[in-house]
Structure formats: structure tokens, C-alpha cells
Amino acid sequence: MEKIAFDFKNRTAVVTGGAQGFGLDIVKRFLKSGAKVIIWDIDPEMIEKTTKDLNNSNLISNIVDVSDYKEVEKHTKNITKNSNIDILINNAGITGPTATLWEYDINMWKNVVDLNIMGTFNCCKAIVPNMIKNNYGRIVNVASVAGKDGNANASAYSVGKAGAIGLTKSLGKELANKNIAVNAVTPAGANTRILDQMTKEHVERMLSKVPRGRFLEVQEFTSLICWLSSEENTFSTAAVFDISGGRSTY
Ligand SMILES: NC(=O)c1ccc[n+]([C@@H]2O[C@H](COP(=O)([O-])OP(=O)(O)OC[C@H]3O[C@@H](n4cnc5c(N)ncnc54)[C@H](O)[C@@H]3O)[C@@H](O)[C@H]2O)c1
């Protein structure tokens, strides 16, 4: 299918977790649409592979743990010395293991909640002042249907993504009088590496709830991200965009 062309020329985008999966597809489409792209990811092997495969002078990749504010702040300062950051895609996330709440390891629970909420918070906190200065910004926070519906045996992930949704609604309103849009997206399951963190039964249960009866394709996801990240999105903000194949009806 021929893709709609988005104009991201003269735009700089930070994509967290961009070394693979959803993030990588977003990076590819942004580059194709003329953007300068910076990947922040913690996986050095995937970063090296992606950077080599894409071989694009408009791409910079950094090892950044988005759950560490100091690191995020340092890298933001480096970028904003020479350029604005126009687009932020808070995509880095982990599901954690499949376990009931009462059997969940406490530190693991904290890590999953922390990355999904604090990773999003840290990047917004560091980058939003630059967007305010420039009076332009498009932020998309990648949540999940789990954050709206709650998935059994995934309490930490459901809480983390619900937190990202709450953050979006709050920050979107704080910035609504500026040309800065903050939105969240709530995908259902897609066949990326993240599924390896869950049991096969859990993945099958998730899929059985999707009326479309199949996984979301990464390119379908990227299409939604592109519109939300584009200059064409002049009104929608503080909102949650569903892409769950009919699973969530709100
Ligand atoms: N794939 C799905 O079924 C699905 C469904 C709903 C929501 N999501 C969400 O979409 C986003 C992307 O998921 P994906 O399926 O592409 O996963 P993935 O595991 O393929 O990719 C996630 C990337 O995030 C990076 N990352 C992890 N922790 C990080 C950290 N602390 N700092 C920086 N980078 C970090 C990983 O190294 C990896 O490259 C996640 O937020 C996920 O929760 C995925």
C-alpha cells in the first residue's frame, strides 16, 4: 500500500527505544520523510546494527537509559546546543514477566512501572522547555490497551501504561496554549521482540480479545504516530488514540 507522505523536513525527532520493533519502524519512516532522527536506546548491539543497516547521515544513535534523568538531561543539552527538538516519541518500554500481582517480584514490579512512567516523565521534563522556547512540539507517548483495560498477570505493565496515559492528559493541558501537542497511543499486541517477555499463553489470550483477529503490523502503528507527530495535527492534544483492532471501544 502506498504510504501518505509526511513532511518532516527541518524537523528533529528523538525516538526512545528506537533500535528495534515499533521504534525502529518509526525511525525509518521519519528518516524517509526528511527528519533528523536521534535514537535513545539501551541495547548497544541493536543500536550498532540499526545504525549500520540504515546508514543515514540524518541519524544519530545514543545509548541512553531513559529511566535515568541525569543521562536524559545530558543528552538533551547536547542536542539542543545546535538544534531544537521538535518531536519526541516516548516509545521505550518493557512488559516484565507474566505473573499474578501477589507472586510478582517487588523489584521487578518497581522496574516495570518506573521505566514506563519515569522514562516518559524524564524525557518530557528534559525536552519540553526546548519546545516551549521554540513554540513548537509534538510528543507521542506509547502506552498500551493494558493501560486502559488492565491485563491480568500484567499488573506492573498495566499500571505503568495507565500512568503514561495520565501523564499525557495532564501535560497536554499544561501546554495547550502553545503549539505543542501531547498525545498517547494504545496499541494492542504486535509481533515484536517484546512478546518474548511474556508467556505464549498470555500472548494468545491477548490476541483472542482482538476483534480484528490478528496482530497489529508495525507499519500500521507508524502511520498513526506520523500524523500525531506532524504539523497537520494542530488541534488534538491531551488525548488517547486507540489502535487495538477493536479490542477497546473507548
Ligand atoms: N509489541 C506490542 O505488542 C506492544 C503492544 C502495546 C504497547 N507496546 C509498547 O510499544 C513500545 C515499543 O515496544 P516494542 O514492541 O517495539 O518493544 P521492543 O522490545 O521490540 O523494543 C523496545 C526498545 O526499547 C528499548 N529500551 C528498553 N528499556 C529502555 C530504557 N530504559 N531506555 C532506553 N531504551 C530502552 C529496548 O532496548 C528496545 O530496543 C513499548 O513501550 C511497549 O510497551 C508494545
Side-chain angles (χ1 to χ4, degrees), residues 17 20 22 41 64-66 91 115 142-143 157 161 187-190 192 194:
Q20 62 200 302
F22 280 156
D41 202 293
V64 181
D65 179 350
V66 295
N91 164 75
L115 174 56
V142 178
Y157 187 63
K161 293 306 191 186
T192 66
I194 208 168

Side-chain angles (χ1 to χ4, degrees), residues 15-26 39-44 46-47 50 62-68 71-72 90-95 111 115-116 119-120 123 141-146 157 161 185-198 203 206 215-216 218 221 243:
V15 181
T16 74
Q20 62 200 302
F22 280 156
L24 174 57
D25 198 65
I26 296 165
I39 293 176
W40 287 350
D41 202 293
I42 46 164
D43 186 332
M46 285 312 296
I47 282 196
T50 293
N62 298 134
I63 297 177
V64 181
D65 179 350
V66 295
S67 63
D68 179 341
E71 247 184 74
V72 169
N90 280 307
N91 164 75
I94 48 170
T95 63
N111 284 347
L115 174 56
N116 288 299
T120 305
C123 294
N141 298 324
V142 178
S144 163
V145 277
Y157 187 63
K161 293 306 191 186
V185 289
T186 56
N191 201 0
T192 66
R193 190 197 62 161
I194 208 168
L195 299 191
D196 298 347
Q197 296 170 44
M198 302 171 249
V203 173
M206 277 168 31
F215 283 121
L216 163 69
V218 288
F221 181 70
I243 178 152

Side-chain angles (χ1 to χ4, degrees), residues 126-218:
I127 292 175
V128 161
N130 179 263
M131 291 180 168
I132 292 175
K133 204 171 101 203
N134 190 30
N135 193 33
Y136 186 86
R138 298 289 182 266
I139 299 174
V140 185
N141 298 324
V142 178
S144 163
V145 277
K148 294 202 293 190
D149 293 6
N151 280 351
N153 305 318
S155 56
Y157 187 63
S158 303
V159 167
K161 293 306 191 186
I165 290 171
L167 182 153
T168 303
K169 291 178 179 178
S170 172
L171 180 63
K173 291 185 183 86
E174 289 173 10
L175 294 170
N177 63 349
K178 303 182 171 49
N179 187 7
I180 302 174
V182 188
N183 291 290
V185 289
T186 56
N191 201 0
T192 66
R193 190 197 62 161
I194 208 168
L195 299 191
D196 298 347
Q197 296 170 44
M198 302 171 249
T199 63
K200 200 166 154 270
E201 293 71 33
H202 185 74
V203 173
E204 278 166 9
R205 209 167 34 245
M206 277 168 31
L207 198 54
S208 71
K209 293 179 185 192
V210 177
R212 287 272 196 208
R214 64 167 173 85
F215 283 121
L216 163 69
E217 300 287 337
V218 288

